[in-house]
Amino acid sequence: MHNKGKNTKTPPPPFHSRAIAVSSATLLSAGVLNPTMFLLSFVSNKTLFASILELYSSNIITPSFPPALSSTIVSALSSSNGHLTSAAVNLISALTDMASVYDPEFDDDADFSPHIPATQSFIIDVLAPSIVSSLENISTTVRSLTEDELSTYTHPEGELYESDASSSSTTSSSGAAQKSSKSSSSNKNVKKTTKTRKGKGNFGADFEDEEWEREVKKELEKKKPTGGAPTARTYSAAEMKTIKAQSESRASTTSIFSAYLAHLSAISAIADTDCSIGNACLPSFGDPVLSLSLPPLLPHPLRKASFSTLVSLCSTIYELPPSSAVPLAATLTLTKNGSTPLPSPCYSASAVVDSIVSSPPPLSGNSFTLVFPVLKSALIGQKRSSLIADSALSILHLHAPSLPTCPPVHALRRQMTEAILSLLSHDRHKTFTDPTPSEALQSIFDTPTLSSPVSPAELSPLLNDQGALGRKAAQIASLLALSTVTSYQSLSSNPLVESRVFSLRYSSDPEISAAAEATYRSLRKPPSPDDPPPPPSKLLAIPLINLLTSSPSTPTALAAFTSLHPSTIPTVLSKLLATYVGAFPTKFPTDSKSSRNSKKSLEAQFLAPSNASGDASSSTLDNPALQSSRFGVMSAVCEVADFKPTPLLDSDHISFLTTFILSYALTDPFDSIRAKGVEAGRKLVKTFGSANLPYLLPLLEATLSTGTPPPPPPPHPPKNKIQ
């Protein structure tokens, strides 16, 4: 029953070498190259037969043969037959070596036989994506393996593997019977307490310790086997059935791991045979191989093979010395492909960055794609990674001009933007001087010669809480980057861009407002430098209201917007009050309010009947997000009520807002919202009180005397009379 070693013998090939030769001769005579027979010719050979070369040369340039050959190679890699796997790897190495003499960047196709460029195109464009697609399916299966399946795989063949759960259940059934005997025998190993002399010294204590140790040693000697060969365990029928099932599971896992390793060997064969072709395959191989190096539950041989393949891919960065391949692979694994900051210090990352800095020309697009996670990890995080971060920012700045002409670098623009904005969110950004993070960010978007416009996805980091809605440095840098984009691309029709720039024009910080003013002028483009910029679009009202909880300058910006477009006041007030109603909870965490202050009552008063939800079964507990929304609405009401130099509201609007403030803002359970409601009421009375005394005095007297506000106003405020 003891078979501690696995059966590592490769199964015999399901074919005979003589049969292969006969089949090959038949194919040659027919003038047809079968992909399977072509693959089998590499079982024991690593070079292309001269007799088949001419046939291969005429078939590889046809449209049907490359996909068929790729499918045959991938099927061989996925098989559990070691001979087929070896043949596939040998074939890949031979084809890569054949294509390595051709460089499409410097060579002329007319100087080479057509099958050589076709072979290189086959490897890069057909075979590499097929290998990656198959590898991703296998890696999904590998990640789905349970811990018990992995433990069974490493357990010796022919022996029963018992997991902790099964062993604990077996132990619990027999534990009760052995409990009494164990308790009596365990008393022998209990150290006896002895009374020792107190005061000076502790005579006798050391002797008792030595005596106790001797007793323990005697007990251990009794438990040792008397000698001879170990007794083989006898398994029951049920256990033998379990062993058989575990053997089948082990065989299945072995087959999966064999296919896994075969695909990695194929990738390494391409990378190790020719550096240029391996570099051209980096967009296909880079991320899948790196992701395979991260799972911690894989057995050590698989992790080692994954890391070795990653090192082979790193060695294809021909701009760097070969000695940087291992540090680069180690850093990529350490930072989980750039998702975590670099530790400080990080010697492997220092070696990689120093190698990049010491190579003056910019990296190729594929090379930059593989090293970018290291640069990103050096920039993110609160801690400064020595001088690596300075060099990483300089490298990004150096490669920014290649964005228009290099698609792989262009594809990383959003991630580059996020990395720099993450740096700007920490105070350590102030220590960067050449270039500054803001200069590096502008260079990423300074691409007037790029054929495609800046996409909304690439702009989104500049507009979210990392950029225009983030900290001061990130806000200014994002505004300058947007100004750079507007120099060659119109963004005036983008409401998200316009709303953020217009809002930051009214920031209390003079540096932010100055940068926003310059960006707004480049966005709206006044007729002459001395003229004021045109007003924003009327459609900007809703985006500004949505920003009330994100930017402290938005309430002032919204008031300025209504002064530029007075006809939008009814819409703005209606949307503000609807937002307040939507943020009013049905219950509060500490104190329950009267039904008059419920969400249902608010909707009934201020929303149209079609919008009122009146569902008593639904309940919303108050939370910080709802409180922030209500506070933003009341802040906007304050600014609209007291906007200088021209008051915006007429008597109908005053009536509407006053009733709302008295009924709900002043009864909000949170002090900050209630205080903002008091401030809004004071501004309304101060600005419009003298002109509306016949209405305001009875309203305030009735409220003070009865504690109840007057009947609610119409669902929507009337249209503004100011034109």
Side-chain angles (χ1 to χ4, degrees):
M1 287 295 183
H2 286 272
N3 184 15
K4 297 186 178 180
K6 292 189 180 69
N7 184 11
T8 58
K9 294 182 179 180
T10 304
F15 45 80
H16 194 272
S17 58
R18 182 176 178 80
I20 296 174
V22 173
S23 300
S24 300
T26 304
L27 292 174
L28 288 172
S29 62
V32 177
L33 183 60
N34 182 277
T36 302
M37 300 309 300
F38 181 54
L39 172 71
L40 293 178
S41 65
F42 285 86
V43 169
S44 58
N45 188 34
K46 295 185 178 181
T47 58
L48 187 63
F49 288 126
S51 57
I52 306 179
L53 177 59
E54 183 178 354
L55 191 59
Y56 167 80
S57 301
S58 61
N59 279 265
I60 192 62
I61 60 177
T62 63
S64 59
F65 183 75
L69 180 59
S70 175
S71 177
T72 302
I73 293 175
V74 171
S75 298
L77 294 174
S78 303
S79 69
S80 57
N81 190 299
H83 297 285
L84 292 179
T85 299
S86 177
V89 174
N90 290 341
L91 174 58
I92 291 173
S93 299
L95 295 180
T96 306
D97 184 62
M98 176 194 300
S100 63
V101 299
Y102 168 71
D103 191 337
E105 186 176 355
F106 301 103
D107 295 333
D108 188 0
D109 292 359
D111 297 336
F112 294 87
S113 177
H115 75 277
I116 293 181
T119 299
Q120 187 172 118
S121 177
F122 163 73
I123 295 172
I124 298 172
D125 301 328
V126 181
L127 182 59
S130 299
I131 292 175
V132 168
S133 177
S134 178
L135 181 60
E136 288 176 345
N137 294 333
I138 296 174
S139 62
T140 301
T141 306
V142 170
R143 292 188 180 95
S144 65
L145 294 175
T146 63
E147 190 172 354
D148 282 348
E149 289 175 325
L150 293 174
S151 300
T152 301
Y153 168 78
T154 58
H155 199 70
E157 178 73 30
E159 293 187 4
L160 178 66
Y161 166 70
E162 296 177 299
S163 62
D164 294 338
S166 60
S167 61
S168 62
S169 61
T170 305
T171 305
S172 61
S173 61
S174 60
Q178 301 176 358
K179 185 176 180 180
S180 58
S181 60
K182 285 186 178 181
S183 61
S184 59
S185 61
S186 62
N187 292 333
K188 300 178 182 179
N189 295 333
V190 177
K191 181 179 175 181
K192 298 179 181 180
T193 58
T194 57
K195 296 181 180 180
T196 58
R197 290 182 56 182
K198 296 182 180 180
K200 296 183 179 180
N202 188 16
F203 303 108
D206 295 338
F207 173 79
E208 291 294 336
D209 291 340
E210 294 174 359
E211 184 66 24
W212 177 70
E213 290 178 2
R214 283 194 292 270
E215 291 292 334
V216 172
K217 290 180 180 180
K218 290 179 181 179
E219 292 293 334
L220 294 176
E221 290 293 334
K222 291 179 181 180
K223 293 181 180 179
K224 288 183 179 180
T226 56
T231 305
R233 177 179 173 181
T234 303
Y235 295 112
S236 64
E239 290 175 332
M240 291 298 297
K241 186 176 181 180
T242 303
I243 291 176
K244 182 180 179 181
Q246 291 178 353
S247 298
E248 295 174 354
S249 173
R250 187 179 295 108
S252 175
T253 305
T254 301
S255 176
I256 295 172
F257 286 168
S258 298
Y260 181 95
L261 294 174
H263 283 72
L264 294 181
S265 299
I267 295 174
S268 297
I270 296 175
D272 295 338
T273 303
D274 185 71
C275 181
S276 298
I277 296 179
N279 187 275
C281 294
L282 283 179
S284 298
F285 291 151
D287 287 341
V289 173
L290 182 56
S291 64
L292 294 176
S293 305
L294 302 181
L297 294 179
L298 293 181
H300 177 70
L302 269 68
R303 294 201 306 271
K304 184 178 179 181
S306 300
F307 183 78
S308 177
T309 305
L310 182 59
V311 172
S312 297
L313 291 179
C314 293
S315 66
T316 64
I317 303 180
Y318 49 82
E319 300 93 342
L320 303 182
S323 59
S324 63
V326 174
L328 176 57
T331 307
L332 290 172
T333 306
L334 177 66
T335 61
K336 297 181 179 180
N337 200 16
S339 60
T340 59
L342 284 176
S344 183
C346 185
Y347 300 107
S348 60
S350 299
V352 173
V353 173
D354 290 344
S355 299
I356 299 174
V357 173
S358 61
S359 57
L363 300 175
S364 66
N366 295 336
S367 300
F368 182 78
T369 300
L370 191 60
V371 303
F372 172 73
V374 178
L375 308 178
K376 178 182 176 182
S377 295
L379 295 176
I380 63 177
Q382 296 184 358
K383 295 183 179 180
R384 184 183 182 89
S385 302
S386 181
L387 297 178
I388 302 178
D390 300 72
S391 300
L393 188 65
S394 300
I395 294 171
L396 289 185
H397 185 62
L398 177 66
H399 287 80
S402 62
L403 275 163
T405 58
C406 188
V409 179
H410 180 208
L412 293 173
R413 173 149 61 179
R414 173 168 178 165
Q415 297 185 48
M416 295 165 68
T417 303
E418 291 173 342
I420 296 177
L421 290 176
S422 176
L423 172 63
L424 286 165
S425 65
H426 305 293
D427 290 338
R428 64 188 181 95
H429 77 273
K430 300 176 183 178
T431 61
F432 293 79
T433 56
D434 188 21
T436 65
S438 180
E439 292 172 346
L441 186 63
Q442 292 178 66
S443 66
I444 292 175
F445 287 93
D446 188 11
T447 55
T449 60
L450 190 63
S451 57
S452 59
V454 182
S455 65
E458 294 172 333
L459 286 174
S460 61
L462 300 176
L463 306 177
N464 60 20
D465 55 359
Q466 277 189 304
L469 303 180
R471 298 187 61 179
K472 174 182 176 180
Q475 288 179 331
I476 296 176
S478 298
L479 289 169
L480 295 177
L482 290 172
S483 180
T484 301
V485 175
T486 57
S487 64
Y488 59 87
Q489 177 180 335
S490 176
L491 298 177
S492 58
S493 60
N494 190 323
L496 296 180
V497 174
E498 189 177 10
S499 62
R500 279 139 179 87
V501 175
F502 184 80
S503 174
L504 293 177
R505 290 179 69 196
Y506 300 91
S507 173
S508 58
D509 190 295
E511 295 183 45
I512 297 177
S513 61
E517 180 65 27
T519 304
Y520 185 77
R521 293 183 69 87
S522 64
L523 182 69
R524 301 299 296 179
K525 291 182 173 54
S528 66
D530 298 331
D531 294 334
S537 168
K538 289 185 177 182
L539 301 178
L540 204 64
I542 302 304
L544 284 174
I545 293 175
N546 294 334
L547 282 180
L548 287 174
T549 60
S550 304
S551 175
S553 60
T554 304
T556 306
L558 185 61
F561 172 82
T562 54
S563 70
L564 296 172
H565 298 289
S567 61
T568 63
I569 290 180
T571 302
V572 170
L573 293 182
S574 177
K575 180 61 178 177
L576 285 175
L577 301 183
T579 302
Y580 192 96
V581 168
F584 208 85
T586 56
K587 59 181 181 179
F588 296 89
T590 56
D591 189 18
S592 60
K593 308 301 291 181
S594 63
S595 60
R596 175 176 62 84
N597 296 330
S598 66
K599 183 175 182 179
K600 178 180 178 181
S601 176
L602 282 170
E603 291 175 342
Q605 283 193 19
F606 294 102
L607 294 183
S610 59
N611 295 332
S613 67
D615 185 7
S617 61
S618 62
S619 60
T620 304
L621 187 65
D622 203 9
N623 56 64
L626 298 180
Q627 297 164 20
S628 177
S629 181
R630 302 201 302 274
F631 183 84
V633 168
M634 295 314 304
S635 299
V637 172
C638 284
E639 297 299 331
V640 171
D642 193 33
F643 188 75
K644 303 295 189 301
T646 305
L648 304 176
L649 306 178
D650 60 14
S651 57
D652 293 331
H653 299 146
I654 299 303
S655 171
F656 185 86
L657 288 176
T658 306
T659 304
F660 180 82
I661 292 172
L662 292 175
S663 299
Y664 300 102
L666 298 185
T667 60
D668 199 284
F670 292 93
D671 295 340
S672 58
I673 302 175
R674 195 163 54 246
K676 188 59 69 172
V678 172
E679 181 182 354
R682 287 177 176 173
K683 288 185 176 181
L684 281 173
V685 173
K686 178 181 178 181
T687 307
F688 304 97
S690 59
N692 294 273
L693 283 178
Y695 167 75
L696 290 176
L697 285 179
L699 176 66
L700 296 176
E701 290 178 356
T703 302
L704 292 174
S705 61
T706 63
T708 304
H716 298 281
K719 292 186 178 181
N720 199 341
K721 299 176 183 178
I722 304 176
Q723 299 296 334

